[in-house]
């Protein structure tokens, strides 16, 4: 029987109770369960760094099973980046270990009087003193605790201690629950780490479930959509995106780089020393990179695409070693690589436009000392890092003089690494995501990937041509709408999106089969309805915090500035890359409001993006829609 642990750090009171079956039937677990607990427990009057804010670690029903890619755990909280709904999600081995120990949820509130570590060894929970670890890097904390106790560790670095709103929680040597500031909330509670270990014997799976595991694992290994991930990690995207104009560069002033050969998967492969993967993953898309710098060897798991783009093209940097070192520093300090890269690029453009100077940094495009120096300054809130640590939305306000136009964020969360004028489904998804700009909230890659096979299963034949045409905006909302439900289900089950909503190798019907084999009574339709319910509950939380249509908007750069796309050819003799003299295409968002209107209509929301009473009744949310706001 899975449990929910309730830990009040202020009083040191700890309670363990059985998780209500009705909760799991309605919300599955993971993201859905976390959103439900947050909505019920955290009032609009509570600020993100107040002790009364909740930090909720949740697992899904497939965590701790051999289901392929079932490694993901979830963290839910009120976000210091957006002031509203926040969550983060990470893979590795921490999530399954938490599930082995018997937990659906570990719910943390209050603030410890001194730094502490929460230790969970099955149903024994202790608060350990953490003074000796405070001020230390995440790798030091994880190494020390694992050497002493075994098990798995999720910890914050100095950025979380310093309440940097871009602070992440790091587990398994570099897996990051990063987006929207969970590390800062953890730091505000004087909580340095969670250590979890299960000494219970792992349960065997039913034979029907074991057969499904074997079949779907084989499908993931052999599926054409997975091959590049397996062979080149997510860095295979660098070259492909550069060709089509979907490689954000120079703070989205362009979306292609002439130095792509210096920073593609092949360039990074020179630093690869090991192939890695999360628990239960047959795809093993990650790589260990090793770099000698400043007289010592550093190792990271990665970099993956989002990080490589953030510290590479986004900052106009062509040196993969700078990307690797930047990734390493973010892991050590506990920082979100996406938000940090975007924030640095924002500072570089502000300097380019004559709005920002600082004696400690050149702030020139591609300058390695600036990029690496600002990471440390942000983590410790030193010098220019004090202002930048607040994120681009607040930093732009402090700079003034029109700096807001260079701040690439939605709802206060910095944009991930897609170009909305080309990848329009992603652009809409960035804007509508309830945790702020987010490529993983809806993962609307169907048209970008040209996945006609799946599109034909999901959408009427008469709309397919327009839906799958990248430049056509008419049905982008339809892709986002379905993707957001699917992703909510995946996040709630504890499964990786690379096996599901990225490649569509495993579909909702397949997940339902797996759950049925474990004794759950879910169907494809009921799972997707739960996904829709989760999206609407998250929307209600934001609505209570004053968010509406004006917050579902992209920065004006994407709706007002066209993007020229060029052809890049490699000279066979010199191996140099040359850009065509004239653009071969132009990316432009033609009618943003029409896309947003269709999305709201599909959702059953009013023109301000508020769920209608009919929608709430249909999803069984009518009794909780008014709770906190009255």
């Amino acid at each position: 029987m899975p449990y929910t642990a309730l830990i009040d750090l202020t009083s040191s009171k700890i309670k363990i109770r059985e998780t209500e079956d009705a909760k799991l039937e309605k919300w599955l677990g993971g993201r859905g369960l976390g959103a439900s607990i947050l909505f019920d427990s955290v009032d609009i009057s509570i600020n993100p760094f107040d002790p009364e804010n909740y930090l909720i670690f949740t697992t899904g029903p497939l965590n701790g099973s051999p289901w392929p890619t079932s490694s993901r755990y979830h963290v839910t909280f009120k976000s210091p980046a957006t002031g509203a709904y926040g969550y983060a999600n990470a893979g590795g081995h921490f999530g399954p270990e938490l599930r082995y120990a018997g937990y659906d949820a570990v719910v943390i509130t209050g603030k410890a009087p001194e730094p502490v570590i929460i230790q969970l060894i099955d149903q024994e929970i202790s608060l350990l003193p953490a003074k000796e670890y405070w001020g230390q890097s995440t790798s030091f904390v994880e190494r020390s605790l694992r050497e002493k106790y075994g098990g798995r560790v999720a910890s914050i670095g100095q950025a979380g201690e310093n309440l940097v709103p871009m602070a992440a929680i790091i587990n398994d040597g570099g897996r990051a629950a990063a987006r929207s500031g969970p590390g800062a909330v953890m730091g505000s509670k004087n909580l340095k780490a969670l250590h979890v270990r299960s000494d219970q014997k792992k349960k065997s799976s039913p034979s029907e479930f074991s057969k499904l595991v074997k079949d779907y694992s084989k499908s993931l290994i052999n599926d054409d959509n997975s091959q590049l991930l397996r062979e080149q990690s997510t860095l295979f995207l660098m070259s492909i995106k550069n060709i089509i104009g979907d490689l954000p560069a120079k703070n989205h002033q362009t979306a292609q780089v002439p130095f792509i050969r210096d920073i593609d998967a092949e360039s990074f492969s020179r630093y690869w020393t090991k192939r890695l993967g999360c628990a239960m993953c047959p795809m093993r898309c990650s790589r260990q990179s090793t770099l000698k710098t400043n007289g010592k060897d550093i190792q990271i798991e990665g970099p993956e695409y989002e990080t490589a783009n953030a510290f590479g093209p986004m900052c106009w940097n062509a040196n993969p070693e700078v990307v690797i070192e930047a990734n390493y520093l973010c892991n050590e300090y506990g920082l979100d690589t996406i938000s940090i890269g975007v924030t640095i690029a924002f500072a570089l453009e502000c300097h380019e436009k004559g709005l920002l100077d600082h004696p400690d940094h050149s702030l020139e495009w591609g300058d390695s000392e600036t990029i690496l120096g600002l990471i440390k300054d942000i983590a410790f809130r030193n010098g220019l890092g004090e202002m930048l640590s607040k994120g681009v939305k607040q930093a732009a306000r402090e700079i003034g003089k029109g700096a807001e136009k260079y701040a690439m964020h939605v709802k206060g969360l910095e944009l991930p690494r897609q170009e909305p004028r080309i990848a329009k489904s992603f652009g809409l998804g960035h804007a509508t995501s309830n945790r702020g700009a987010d490529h993983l909230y809806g993962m609307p890659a169907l048209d970008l990937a040209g996945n006609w096979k799946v599109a034909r299963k999901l959408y009427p034949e008469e709309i397919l041509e327009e839906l799958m045409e990248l430049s056509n905006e008419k049905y982008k909302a339809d892709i986002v709408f379905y993707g957001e439900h699917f992703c909510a289900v995946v996040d709630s089950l504890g499964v990786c999106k690379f096996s599901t909503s990225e490649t569509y190798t495993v579909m909702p019907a397949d997940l339902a089969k797996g759950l049925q084999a474990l004794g759950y009574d879910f169907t494809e339709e009921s799972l997707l309805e739960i996904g829709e319910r989760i999206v609407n509950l998250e929307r209600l939380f934001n609505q209570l915090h004053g968010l509406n249509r004006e917050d579902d908007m992209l920065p004006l750069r994407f709706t007002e500035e066209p993007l020229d796309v060029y052809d890049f050819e490699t000279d066979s003799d010199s191996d140099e890359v040359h850009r065509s003299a004239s653009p071969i295409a132009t990316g432009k968002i033609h009618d943003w409001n029409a896309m947003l209107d269709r999305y709201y209509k599909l959702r059953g929301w009013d023109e301000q993006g508020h769920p209608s009473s009919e929608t709430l009744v249909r999803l069984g949310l009518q009794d909780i829609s008014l709770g906190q706001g009255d």
Side-chain angles (χ1 to χ4, degrees), residues 401-595:
K401 299 175 286 187
E404 290 84 358
K405 68 165 60 174
Y406 312 124
M408 300 297 115
H409 75 91
V410 173
K411 301 180 179 74
L413 187 63
E414 289 75 19
L415 259 69
R417 308 296 73 242
Q418 294 79 41
E419 171 48 61
R421 288 164 290 191
I422 298 297
K424 295 184 179 183
S425 294
F426 272 107
L428 181 62
H430 290 169
T432 59
S433 163
N434 283 316
R435 70 165 171 173
D438 187 1
H439 62 302
L440 295 173
Y441 193 83
M443 202 72 192
L446 200 65
D447 54 344
L448 200 62
N451 198 334
W452 283 83
K453 180 180 178 182
V454 171
R456 288 190 173 95
K457 293 180 181 178
L458 300 179
Y459 301 101
E461 184 69 34
E462 59 267 23
I463 75 168
L464 282 180
E465 288 290 338
E466 291 178 284
L467 180 138
M468 294 296 285
E469 183 183 359
L470 275 182
S471 61
N472 192 318
E473 299 171 358
K474 187 173 181 180
Y475 295 112
K476 296 311 177 198
D478 300 61
I479 299 177
V480 174
F481 176 74
Y482 180 87
E484 287 182 346
H485 298 170
F486 192 6
C487 286
V489 170
V490 169
D491 287 338
S492 300
L493 294 177
V495 176
C496 177
K497 292 188 172 76
F498 286 162
S499 66
T500 51
S501 53
E502 165 81 359
T503 62
Y504 285 89
T505 306
V506 177
M507 298 287 286
D510 303 313
L511 295 171
K513 288 179 185 178
L515 291 169
Q516 289 164 11
L518 289 176
Y520 296 96
D521 187 22
F522 292 115
T523 64
E524 174 184 10
E525 293 74 21
S526 66
L527 285 178
L528 288 172
E529 183 176 285
I530 292 172
E532 185 177 6
R533 182 179 299 126
I534 293 166
V535 170
N536 277 268
L537 183 72
E538 294 164 345
R539 187 71 177 193
L540 289 172
F541 189 86
N542 281 350
Q543 182 182 330
L544 289 169
H545 287 77
L547 275 63
N548 52 39
R549 185 186 184 101
E550 67 182 23
D551 299 290
D552 291 341
M553 296 292 177
L554 290 172
L556 293 179
R557 170 158 283 167
F558 303 113
T559 55
E560 294 185 354
E561 299 177 19
L563 174 74
D564 288 333
V565 179
Y566 294 85
D567 186 26
F568 284 85
E569 294 183 354
T570 302
D571 188 288
S572 58
D573 295 325
S574 65
D575 208 34
E576 293 181 354
V577 177
H578 299 285
R579 192 184 83 169
S580 60
S582 302
I584 58 172
T586 298
K588 180 177 172 57
I589 293 177
H590 299 280
D591 194 339
W592 176 259
N593 283 318
M595 283 198 288

Side-chain angles (χ1 to χ4, degrees), residues 314-354:
M314 191 66 170
C315 293
W316 208 247
N317 162 50
N319 187 343
E321 294 190 0
V322 173
V323 173
I324 292 171
E325 188 170 356
N327 197 163
Y328 170 78
L329 291 174
C330 286
N331 289 348
E332 291 291 282
Y333 299 144
L335 286 166
D336 176 2
T337 59
I338 296 174
S339 284
I340 291 293
V342 173
T343 300
I344 293 172
F346 160 77
L348 301 185
E349 184 169 8
C350 284
H351 173 72
E352 177 189 36
K353 298 299 195 294

Side-chain angles (χ1 to χ4, degrees), residues 68 208-221:
E208 182 184 351
F209 184 78
S210 297
K211 183 180 184 305
L212 289 172
V213 166
K214 184 177 180 180
D215 290 345
Y216 288 126
S217 295
K218 185 177 180 180
S219 296
L220 286 167
I221 292 171

Side-chain angles (χ1 to χ4, degrees), residues 169-374:
I169 300 170
I170 305 293
N171 60 279
D172 296 296
R175 289 285 170 174
R179 305 245 65 201
S180 59
V185 175
M186 194 160 158
S188 75
K189 298 184 176 301
N190 269 340
L191 177 59
K192 183 64 177 178
L194 275 74
H195 169 261
V196 60
R197 189 184 81 220
S198 176
D199 295 334
Q200 298 179 14
K201 185 177 180 180
K202 309 300 184 292
K203 296 179 180 178
S204 59
S205 301
S207 58
E208 182 184 351
F209 184 78
S210 297
K211 183 180 184 305
L212 289 172
V213 166
K214 184 177 180 180
D215 290 345
Y216 288 126
S217 295
K218 185 177 180 180
S219 296
L220 286 167
I221 292 171
N222 295 326
D223 194 293
D224 290 341
N225 293 325
S226 303
Q227 293 312 303
L228 286 174
L229 272 174
R230 287 172 48 78
E231 294 166 5
Q232 299 183 36
S233 80
T234 58
L235 291 177
F236 83 88
L237 291 166
M238 297 289 283
S239 294
I240 293 173
K241 284 175 170 286
N242 199 62
I243 291 171
I244 65 174
D246 184 32
L247 189 73
K250 225 172 186 181
N251 203 32
H252 287 276
Q253 293 184 68
T254 182
Q256 295 173 301
V257 297
F259 50 80
I260 188 62
R261 294 290 295 275
D262 298 321
I263 205 160
D264 59 7
E266 184 178 350
S267 294
F268 279 101
S269 70
R270 299 196 298 268
Y271 304 93
W272 291 348
T273 51
K274 189 186 295 184
R275 186 174 179 179
L276 300 171
C278 296
M280 315 306 171
C281 184
M283 300 165 71
R284 296 176 62 80
C285 70
S286 188
R287 300 294 185 273
Q288 176 182 280
S289 296
T290 302
L291 172 68
K292 185 177 288 293
T293 180
N294 298 322
K296 68 174 183 177
D297 288 338
I298 61 173
Q299 289 182 340
I300 62 167
E301 183 174 350
E304 44 75 55
Y305 164 72
E306 295 282 328
T307 300
N309 179 275
F311 293 120
M314 191 66 170
C315 293
W316 208 247
N317 162 50
N319 187 343
E321 294 190 0
V322 173
V323 173
I324 292 171
E325 188 170 356
N327 197 163
Y328 170 78
L329 291 174
C330 286
N331 289 348
E332 291 291 282
Y333 299 144
L335 286 166
D336 176 2
T337 59
I338 296 174
S339 284
I340 291 293
V342 173
T343 300
I344 293 172
F346 160 77
L348 301 185
E349 184 169 8
C350 284
H351 173 72
E352 177 189 36
K353 298 299 195 294
L355 304 181
L356 186 64
D357 285 295
H358 198 273
D360 294 340
H361 305 288
S362 76
L363 299 180
E364 296 292 339
W365 290 110
D367 178 56
S368 60
E369 292 185 3
T370 293
I371 294 169
L372 299 175
L374 282 177

